[in-house]
Amino acid sequence: MKVSMSPPHTATSVRLLVLAVQLVLLVCGGQASDDTKRCKLFSDSPAERKVLSLLEPLTNKTFSVATTSGKESYTYKFQVCGDAGKTVGAGLVQIDQKGEKSETVLGLYTATQAIGGSDWVMLIYSNGTKYDAHCSKEMRKAIVMISCNRGVEMGKLEVVLEERERDTDCFYLFELDSSAVCPALPSQLSAGSIILIIGFVLLSVYLICGFLYQRLIVGAKGLQQFPNYVFWTQVGNLAADGCNFVFRTQGTEEEPPTYRGVSTEPEEQPEERDDHLLPM
């Protein structure tokens, strides 16, 4: 009685291949996360959510800028849909660099507005800490103007102004450059180039997957690892046979009958011999 068992190296190769596929799927799934969903919009409309999704490359990064004016010295910290400081939900904070370094919330990402243009996005955080004496003691509001700059992936945060010399609707205004909000460039590739790229990608997938299958599953070595090795070694002969069949003549056609003139003299009849009829 014979018991067939798979080689140990084959089983190990299969496990490694499955593990690699699972790792790729895990990485792709992690990259597909949408951190901008942490922002709570006043009116959760599809248009605003689409504008907000443009800022996904800027998430999970803290932008900061320090300013000094007279005796006042502040540091501003900003995050896209994330905690910029110690206060949970604060998307933009102001830290006083003198004294106890108290933190003032300029706006919450749980009270967000997103307005988009052709090459810019205006992000508005509201419901910040109330003013002590200015702006009718209303809650602070921060506006971050993110403009297109294809040469900068994540620019530096800049303070433009603090408008607090009015009764209501005061705000802090900031600027930030980023290529994330730039419109997509029109494709410069022709149809032929796209077809070549697709063909190259398909050929690469065929070679890589075929090599891995032959190597890990079949256990082939040397040139036998090349996918469909026997077929490709016969391609040259098959192509030559096809060209020979289509473009070359073999001289097998019958020659057409030639014209023969009519003779004026009677043709000689072959002499009949009847010697074989004589008795022996």
Side-chain angles (χ1 to χ4, degrees):
M1 180 179 180
K2 295 182 179 180
V3 179
S4 60
M5 297 180 64
S6 60
H9 72 276
T10 302
T12 304
S13 301
V14 172
R15 294 192 188 98
L16 290 176
L17 183 60
V18 173
L19 182 61
V21 172
Q22 291 177 347
L23 182 61
V24 171
L25 294 176
L26 181 62
V27 171
C28 294
Q31 292 178 347
S33 60
D34 189 1
D35 293 324
T36 57
K37 290 184 178 180
R38 293 179 301 196
C39 280
K40 305 300 181 183
L41 298 171
F42 281 114
S43 58
D44 199 353
S45 64
E48 278 194 82
R49 185 59 64 181
K50 182 178 179 180
V51 171
L52 197 58
S53 65
L54 296 175
L55 305 180
E56 182 65 30
L58 303 180
T59 57
N60 300 318
K61 178 176 176 57
T62 301
F63 300 88
S64 62
V65 58
T67 62
T68 301
S69 178
K71 296 181 180 181
E72 297 180 344
S73 179
Y74 299 104
T75 297
Y76 297 89
K77 292 185 178 182
F78 163 66
Q79 269 206 23
V80 175
C81 302
D83 297 329
K86 299 178 182 179
T87 306
V88 177
L92 210 158
V93 298
Q94 178 192 65
I95 302 174
D96 190 352
Q97 295 300 319
K98 295 183 178 180
E100 300 179 356
K101 294 187 177 182
S102 59
E103 181 178 284
T104 303
V105 178
L106 303 186
L108 302 176
Y109 61 82
T110 54
T112 303
Q113 289 178 274
I115 304 172
S118 59
D119 59 352
W120 55 268
V121 171
M122 181 183 293
L123 190 64
I124 303 174
Y125 289 158
S126 302
N127 297 351
T129 305
K130 292 183 178 181
Y131 285 98
D132 295 331
H134 303 283
C135 305
S136 303
K137 298 183 180 181
E138 68 178 3
M139 290 186 291
R140 286 175 170 83
K141 178 174 63 177
I143 302 174
V144 183
M145 189 71 180
I146 305 172
S147 304
C148 168
N149 187 343
R150 297 190 184 277
V152 178
E153 183 179 0
M154 297 181 185
K156 295 181 179 180
L157 184 68
E158 296 182 4
V159 181
V160 178
L161 63 90
E162 177 189 0
E163 180 57 74
R164 61 180 185 180
E165 302 301 326
R166 55 172 70 180
D167 294 334
T168 58
D169 202 20
C170 298
F171 61 90
Y172 292 80
L173 181 61
F174 300 85
E175 283 185 342
L176 179 66
D177 289 341
S178 175
S179 59
V181 298
C182 294
L185 294 174
S187 176
Q188 301 295 330
L189 297 177
S190 62
S193 301
I194 296 175
I195 293 175
L196 287 176
I197 293 174
I198 294 175
F200 178 77
V201 171
L202 293 177
L203 179 61
S204 300
V205 172
Y206 165 74
L207 292 176
I208 294 174
C209 294
F211 174 82
L212 292 176
Y213 177 81
Q214 292 290 108
R215 174 79 176 183
L216 302 178
I217 306 302
V218 180
K221 302 292 184 181
L223 293 177
Q224 298 297 329
Q225 299 174 93
F226 195 86
N228 302 111
Y229 173 74
V230 176
F231 169 77
W232 292 115
T233 55
Q234 298 176 354
V235 167
N237 295 332
L238 295 176
D241 293 341
C243 292
N244 187 56
F245 176 78
V246 175
F247 298 106
R248 296 180 183 177
T249 58
Q250 302 295 335
T252 58
E253 297 181 359
E254 297 182 357
E255 295 183 358
T258 57
Y259 174 76
R260 297 177 61 184
V262 179
S263 176
T264 56
E265 297 180 358
E267 295 183 357
E268 294 183 358
Q269 298 293 331
E271 183 180 359
E272 295 183 359
R273 301 182 63 86
D274 52 0
D275 294 343
H276 63 285
L277 299 177
L278 297 177
M280 299 298 293

